[in-house]
Amino acid sequence: LILVSTKALPKGHWIRPEDLTYQPLPKGWKDGVQNCYTDEEELVGKELKRGVSANQILKRGDAGAPTLVEAGD
């Protein structure tokens, strides 16, 4: 099972448990499971680096450590 978004989420969104759900890896998925998140704890509290659609597979690199201070602040 891999993690997908439950709804559209904008870039910069801090991921919460209710933003995620599990689904089977789609047949024919070329990136492989190693490029997808499979553990909710890896994503909760991270910041999206790009916006995602509802039911979109969350791939490694889509999220990272939250930005706490913006450049110029």
Side-chain angles (χ1 to χ4, degrees):
L1 295 176
I2 58 169
L3 285 163
V4 300
S5 58
T6 57
K7 58 188 173 237
L9 301 169
K11 176 182 177 181
H13 179 80
W14 287 27
I15 300 171
R16 300 179 308 239
E18 59 268 22
D19 297 329
L20 306 171
T21 191
Y22 289 95
Q23 78 175 25
L25 188 67
K27 289 182 181 180
W29 179 257
K30 295 180 170 122
D31 285 347
V33 73
Q34 69 274 7
N35 292 321
C36 304
Y37 287 98
T38 57
D39 184 354
E40 184 177 282
E41 290 183 19
E42 291 182 272
L43 277 172
V44 172
K46 299 277 177 85
E47 179 182 358
L48 281 174
K49 301 302 179 191
R50 64 183 188 92
V52 297
S53 310
N55 300 311
Q56 185 170 332
I57 295 170
L58 294 162
K59 298 186 288 185
R60 306 247 176 232
D62 286 349
T67 304
L68 301 177
V69 177
E70 295 288 333
D73 285 348

